[in-house]
Amino acid sequence: EGPTCGLLPVGHRCERVTTQGLQWNLDRDVMEFGGLVSTSNRVLEHRPIDTDNESNEIDEQNVTYQTVVVECSHPLVWTVELL
């Protein structure tokens, strides 16, 4: 699992939020306190296959994380767990 992350609307409602690269992406969702907030999402991992190994095992030495893209109509606060 990737690091925990979140998006929080601060001070006002955010009319439209779309994300890519998260375990639970948003698609033109409205975010506001008392409604939807995203406090426990996860950044997706990219786990390459070890091509030098015939068993096609995951190459644990080269795990990276997806690029996260956030498009929003109003400012949001981004939080992410440091590993």
Side-chain angles (χ1 to χ4, degrees):
E1 293 183 343
T4 302
C5 61
L7 290 164
L8 303 169
V10 176
H12 51 79
R13 172 182 168 122
C14 186
E15 296 293 333
R16 186 186 69 259
V17 183
T18 300
T19 62
Q20 297 173 21
L22 302 178
Q23 185 171 357
W24 297 284
N25 281 312
L26 301 170
D27 184 19
R28 297 181 300 273
D29 289 292
V30 174
M31 293 185 76
E32 64 183 328
F33 283 101
L36 174 69
V37 294
S38 176
T39 59
S40 301
N41 213 327
R42 292 219 178 254
V43 177
L44 290 177
E45 289 183 344
H46 173 69
R47 300 174 74 87
I49 301 295
D50 185 352
T51 56
D52 293 332
N53 184 331
E54 291 182 19
S55 67
N56 289 329
E57 294 177 2
I58 299 297
D59 183 358
E60 296 293 341
Q61 299 299 317
N62 292 308
V63 172
T64 60
Y65 297 100
Q66 296 286 338
T67 298
V68 175
V69 177
V70 178
E71 297 177 9
C72 54
S73 61
H74 296 83
L76 297 171
V77 172
W78 166 256
T79 64
V80 67
E81 173 185 20
L82 298 176
L83 300 177

